[in-house]
Amino acid sequence: MKAALALLAPLALTACGLSPMYAGGGSGAVAAGLAEVAIPAIEGRSGWLVRNALTERFRAAGASAPRYRLDVRLDERLEGLGVLSDDTTARERLTLRARYQLVDTADGSIVLDATDGTDAGIDVVSSEYAVIAAERSAEERLAKDLADRITARVALALRRLR
């Protein structure tokens, strides 16, 4: 009985309408759609990091003529959380938020209007160099995480259009 159920389970999944997002790999519909998205420059160092990460993900299938434009505006905030008795900060939180719009360049219509964000905690130690290095490292990780989130949302929007 268990063996029969195990054999029938894959058939039930195909009947529910689920299909892999990136079916076809680099030559699939989603990868081809992502390759059609132009990403203009984004302001600031974090913007440069996010744009590079997005370009890397969107161009996996190669570049093609842009049909869409992804406009991204970032809001980066660094705030102190833990304050010690001598008024020094013991912990910081770096937050990176993005508001982005996927615009169809043919008619100027907005295909996707969304926001996303991510944050990281940073320990503040006595070495100023270590704190700066930790902030930079956190900024790089957040940029990659935010690019992953944006890529998934844009891929879903493009998949609905096809």
Side-chain angles (χ1 to χ4, degrees), residues 77-148:
R77 190 163 297 162
L78 180 66
E79 58 185 335
L81 293 178
V83 180
L84 301 175
S85 60
D86 61 350
D87 286 338
T88 59
T89 303
R91 189 134 173 95
E92 295 176 334
R93 183 173 72 184
L94 179 62
T95 305
L96 189 60
R97 303 264 181 246
R99 166 101 192 268
Y100 51 98
Q101 294 179 327
L102 184 64
V103 179
D104 189 335
T105 55
D107 59 6
S109 64
I110 296 174
V111 176
L112 173 68
D113 187 2
T115 59
D116 223 322
T118 185
D119 62 357
I122 302 164
D123 288 328
V124 178
V125 295
S126 60
S127 169
E128 188 174 331
Y129 174 78
V131 173
I132 292 171
E135 288 172 354
R136 290 278 171 107
S137 178
E139 184 180 27
E140 291 168 7
R141 283 191 320 273
L142 293 180
K144 289 177 182 177
D145 184 41
L146 192 57
D148 287 341

Side-chain angles (χ1 to χ4, degrees), residues 58 61 74 138 156:
F58 283 32
L74 294 179
L156 282 172

Side-chain angles (χ1 to χ4, degrees), residues 27 38 41 68 84 94 123 149 154:
S27 60
Y68 303 99
L84 301 175
L94 179 62
D123 288 328
R149 293 168 184 254
V154 169

Side-chain angles (χ1 to χ4, degrees), residues 32-52:
L34 289 174
E36 294 178 336
V37 178
I39 308 164
I42 305 169
E43 188 178 326
R45 181 177 189 281
S46 292
W48 178 77
L49 291 169
V50 170
R51 183 180 185 275
N52 284 348

